[in-house]
Each structure stands twice: as C-alpha cells, then as structure tokens.
Amino acid sequence: MTDDERFEALYGAHAGAVLAYARRRTSAANADDVMAEVFLIAWRRLADVPRDERIWLLGVARRVLANQRRGHTRQRALRERLEPQLPSSSPPADSEPRDQRVLHALARLREDDREALLLLGWEELSHTEAARVLGIRARTFSVRAHRARRRFALALAAVDCTPGESSDASLPVEVL
Amino acid sequence: MNADTIDRLRRVNPVPQDPPAPPIGPLLALRERELTDHGRAGGRSARRAIALPRNRGRVLVFVPIVLVCVLLVFALRGGGGGQFDVAAAVYRAISPGHGVRYVVTEQDSEADGKRMVLRVQRWSTSYPPSERSVSLERRNYGPERTVRIEGAIAPGSTWSSWWSGRPGVIEHTRATGVRMNEVAVIRAAYRAGRLRVLDKTRQDGRAVYRLQEVPPRIGPAARSRQIPNVLIVDAHTFVPVEDINYGPGPHGRLVPTFILHYRTFVELPPTPANLALVKLAAHPGARVVQRG
C-alpha cells in the first residue's frame, strides 16, 4: 500500500470520528479546519501512526484544539457548544429539560475533568483509550475520571441550587 | 465510572453519531498544490479555488497553518533545493501535533563597549517557550561568516545544533544539558534550587527578578572562581530579559564580559520567507558531519 493509499484509507476510516470529536468541542466551522489540520499532521507523520489510528488521531485533535485555546477562541466556542440556550449548541430535540442541567454542570467543571468525562461519555472510549488520548497512564486517568465524576455530581447539585440555572429562560452566558 | 453519569452525558452529546467523512478531494488537492506551487502566485489562486469558501477569515488563518505543514512535508521528502533544512531535521524527532507557529526575534550585544553583531532569531511552537515545545534558533556571528542554528527538541533535555563555519560543511551535534533561555527550564532550575533570587527590581519599566545560578557543591565547577551567570527574567512570565556572563577583566577582576539582551519578542507569521531563515543556505548541498 502506498502512502497515498494509506492516507486515504486513514481518512476514510476516521475522518468522521475526528470531525465529531472536534464538533463536540468547538464550532462546526472551526471543526472542519481542525480536522484538516489533524490529517495534514497525520500525512506528515504517516510512518508514525500506530495501529490504533483513531486514538492517535483524537490525541492529535486534542492537541490541535489545545493550541487554539491560547487565544480563548476555543473556550468561547466550547461555551457556545455547552450553552443550551444557543441555537448552535442546542441539545437533541428529544432531550429532557434536566439534561440541560447536565450541560451547565459540565460547563462548571475544570477542563481536565470535563475532558475526562467527555472522552468516556461522548467519545465512548474505555479508560485505557481515553488515557492514551490524554497521554497519561490508565491508572492516572481512572483516578482523574473518578474525581471528575464526583465534581460533576457536586456541580449538578450546585446547578440545582442556583436560582435560574434550572430554568431554560435564564441560563447564564458566562458559564466557563 | 458511574453508568448513570455516562448515560446523562450521552443524552446531551451534541453530535451523537459520527458525521460522514467530508470528501477528501479538497484536502488532497490542497496538499498537492502546496507541494508544487507554494510560494508562487499560482499557488494562491489554486488555494483560493479549493479553499473552504464559508468564511474568508477562517481560510486566511487556515492557509498559513497548512502551508507550514506542507512545507515541512516537502522538506522531509527531500525538497528544499539542496539547502539543509534545520526545521525539517528537528521535526523528524518531535511528536505529532506540533507546528511552527511563532517566530521570536532577539538581539544580542556585548559588554564593555565592544558590540558584536549577533542576531538571534527563535522559532517556537509556543510562546513563551515552554516544556515540550520545540525551539529553533538561528545566530549569525559577524558579517555572515558563521551561522549557528539550534533546534531544541525538548528544552532543558536535548537539543541539536548545526554549525556552518567551513564552506561545504555543516557540523551537527546533539547535546544534553540546561539552556537557561527557555522559560520552562528557568522555572525548573529555580524550583530545583539551581537558581537563587538576588532581588526583585524594575528594568525598562517592568518588574524583573535577578537570578543567579547556584554552583554545585561538588565537582570542578564547585572549585571554580568564576562568578555564576546572572539571569534577569520578567517577574510575571519568566521570559528572559538579560543574561550576564562574567569573565576576567582589567586588573584581574571578574567583570561582565558578555551580556545577552533579549530585546524583542515578535510574533511573525510562518511564511515561507520566515521559515527559510532556519535553513543553512550558505552552502547548498553541504555535507553534514556528525560531531558527538
């Protein structure tokens, strides 16, 4: 298989997953650029792409997004993504009102905690896979995920106790 | 992990299913066009034709990033017109996810009234340079007589330097040690007790720390009468401001003999012209000799 063939196979197999990962964390418009950058990096490092390609690509995508974060662009985009009030980030139509509390609670978490939970819940990775995306040991990730879950529960409780946050009509914009 | 938590998260997943992969054509075309046309006017029109048309501003941001990646691909595949490409050499050894984003320029001068034309330019994947970032430096000594380019793969641990002092020969050395011009290294050295704070003062209108290297307690360096370097760093960012080296002066006294002023830190776009500055262009096709 030539490099071109392998690259095209890599793209065909995982572009959707990378695009979904990016769309879950930034605006749809920026997600396209993130995906393109991820695959250009993959092209440059094609010889180094391991067998678990998807995990490797998600790790690259995470770093690409992290680089963007310096300009606060991504934080704003993620806030928009997590903000149920905004049309661009509206939860699925069949979601219940209580799910919007989940978004608020997520938005209250530190980024490390949030990413740990999202890798499990949105990317549906195992602890081992999520650890590899983050570049940490599986045991370390398990500890982080455990603490993140605990903080998430506290954040949910805080949302319940915060006037207005349980109501769609008065969701705060600055949640991150 | 609590299954209920996961279920709750899944219910609010804004992209429950992976979207279909967009056509690969634009990406391949972009890659190929940049490989062949980069730097020429034709490349601009070709890029415009295949660029994602939704938002011109985003495209303007995207194209330089792509250009950097493709230029690196080009260099790694043997391009470069016979010039030795330091950036490509460094990038062979680094982890994925990096890209040259910033150019930091510095300017040096010598103490005791003798000014030496020494220009340092630094490229880094992050600003300020931090741990795990990649740093490339170009130093011109004198009127282009010799050129030294260093690529720090992981600041404070390993770096490679390419020195072009003889026609037709580029000497390459890999080294380890501490380079006190990286923010992360300075912070780490301070935390490890290898730097002590002399005082906190103001210089050029900003708060700075004056730090001094702490000599080791054992070994030849411990017996040296050399005054340890003094490093002046920004009090808030730890970005180096000045590096003062001492040496023998008049009447046998130790005086500052070389002061490295970090004058300007300028972010420049990763254009081909800027990236070309980290090529050893003086000797096209030069032989690379490994030292050490």
Side-chain angles (χ1 to χ4, degrees):
Chain A
M1 182 182 284
T2 65
D3 282 353
D4 282 346
E5 289 170 344
R6 188 181 173 208
F7 178 70
E8 290 182 26
L10 185 75
Y11 184 88
H14 303 296
V18 173
L19 186 58
Y21 176 90
R23 283 186 181 174
R24 287 165 188 144
R25 287 158 178 80
T26 187
S27 66
N30 190 45
D32 291 349
D33 290 349
V34 169
M35 187 202 67
E37 188 170 352
V38 167
F39 279 95
L40 284 170
I41 290 169
W43 165 252
R44 173 156 58 90
R45 308 282 301 184
L46 197 58
D48 301 327
V49 178
R51 292 179 64 181
D52 51 352
E53 298 162 334
R54 176 171 171 249
I55 301 302
W56 186 87
L57 289 167
L58 293 183
V60 174
R62 188 183 71 83
R63 284 189 287 274
V64 168
L65 281 165
N67 285 339
Q68 292 186 349
R69 191 172 55 236
R70 290 193 185 89
H72 303 289
T73 303
R74 184 196 164 211
Q75 286 218 357
R76 187 172 297 115
L78 181 58
R79 182 189 310 143
E80 290 170 0
R81 168 57 62 198
L82 293 176
E83 176 52 64
Q85 194 172 30
L86 300 176
S88 63
S89 61
S90 296
D94 58 351
S95 64
E96 302 168 9
R98 61 179 300 203
D99 289 337
Q100 299 187 13
R101 294 169 43 238
V102 174
L103 292 174
H104 280 298
L106 271 177
R108 283 171 168 253
L109 295 181
R110 291 188 334 194
E111 180 158 350
D112 285 354
D113 290 342
R114 184 167 55 236
E115 183 65 7
L117 293 178
L118 296 187
L119 286 173
L120 298 172
W122 287 2
E123 262 55 55
E124 302 189 13
L125 302 181
S126 68
H127 279 211
T128 303
E129 290 171 331
R132 295 182 68 179
V133 170
L134 297 176
I136 60 178
R137 294 191 306 172
R139 180 175 296 181
T140 304
F141 178 83
S142 293
V143 172
R144 183 181 296 181
H146 175 75
R147 290 175 179 165
R149 184 181 61 81
R150 194 176 59 204
R151 291 180 184 128
F152 177 69
L154 291 173
L156 266 179
V159 168
D160 286 341
C161 295
T162 303
E165 286 205 13
S166 57
S167 161
D168 288 348
S170 56
L171 294 173
V173 174
E174 298 293 332
V175 291
L176 289 181
Chain B
M1 175 59 65
N2 188 317
D4 184 49
T5 301
I6 294 296
D7 289 341
R8 283 180 158 185
L9 291 172
R10 283 178 181 156
R11 282 201 297 271
V12 296
N13 187 344
V15 187
Q17 301 292 328
D18 289 352
I24 194 174
L27 187 62
L28 291 177
L30 186 61
R31 193 191 74 193
E32 297 302 325
R33 300 273 178 106
E34 294 285 0
L35 282 172
T36 55
D37 293 346
H38 72 86
R40 293 206 296 266
R44 286 202 298 274
S45 60
R47 281 196 300 276
R48 188 177 300 119
I50 59 174
L52 305 175
R54 293 183 314 274
N55 183 318
R56 183 181 176 84
R58 281 191 300 103
V59 172
L60 291 176
V61 172
F62 177 68
V63 166
I65 295 171
V66 172
L67 188 62
V68 170
C69 296
V70 174
L71 281 174
L72 292 172
V73 170
F74 183 73
L76 289 170
R77 292 184 122 196
Q83 297 175 358
F84 183 70
D85 191 335
V86 176
V90 171
Y91 269 76
R92 287 191 192 103
I94 64 173
S95 58
H98 288 296
V100 176
R101 300 295 173 82
Y102 302 102
V103 180
V104 180
T105 65
E106 305 165 8
Q107 206 164 14
D108 297 354
S109 67
E110 197 174 25
D112 289 339
K114 286 184 178 179
R115 184 176 175 82
M116 185 170 72
V117 179
L118 170 58
R119 184 173 174 79
V120 178
Q121 295 168 302
R122 178 183 298 172
W123 282 249
S124 180
T125 52
S126 65
Y127 179 73
S130 61
E131 198 170 1
R132 298 180 65 82
S133 72
V134 179
S135 174
L136 300 170
E137 284 187 9
R138 179 190 178 92
R139 297 182 177 208
N140 292 334
Y141 289 88
E144 300 288 339
R145 287 196 308 271
T146 58
V147 177
R148 183 184 191 88
I149 298 183
E150 292 188 344
I153 294 167
S157 58
T158 304
W159 74 85
S160 290
S161 67
W162 286 264
W163 175 273
S164 177
R166 290 183 289 162
V169 175
I170 294 172
E171 297 183 22
H172 174 220
T173 305
R174 288 183 67 86
T176 57
V178 175
R179 291 174 6 137
M180 287 294 183
N181 59 359
E182 299 286 356
V183 173
V185 175
I186 295 169
R187 286 185 185 278
Y190 177 69
R191 284 197 299 266
R194 298 198 307 274
L195 288 172
R196 66 189 178 97
V197 177
L198 294 178
D199 56 21
K200 183 177 182 180
T201 181
R202 297 190 72 81
Q203 182 166 318
D204 297 333
R206 62 175 166 180
V208 297
Y209 284 120
R210 292 199 319 131
L211 308 173
Q212 187 169 38
E213 291 182 55
V214 177
R217 293 182 178 178
I218 57 174
R223 296 188 292 276
S224 170
R225 292 181 61 245
Q226 179 74 28
I227 296 178
N229 288 2
V230 170
L231 187 66
I232 300 176
V233 300
D234 185 285
H236 302 293
T237 64
F238 265 51
V239 167
V241 175
E242 209 166 81
D243 189 358
I244 305 172
N245 296 258
Y246 291 85
H251 312 296
R253 296 166 56 189
L254 291 172
V255 297
T257 54
F258 187 79
I259 300 177
L260 195 67
H261 296 286
Y262 296 84
R263 294 245 172 113
T264 56
F265 290 78
V266 181
E267 183 177 326
L268 297 177
T271 62
N274 287 331
L275 289 173
L277 295 173
V278 282
K279 288 183 180 178
L280 282 177
H283 311 299
R287 188 164 51 93
V288 179
V289 178
Q290 184 70 33
R291 305 286 186 199

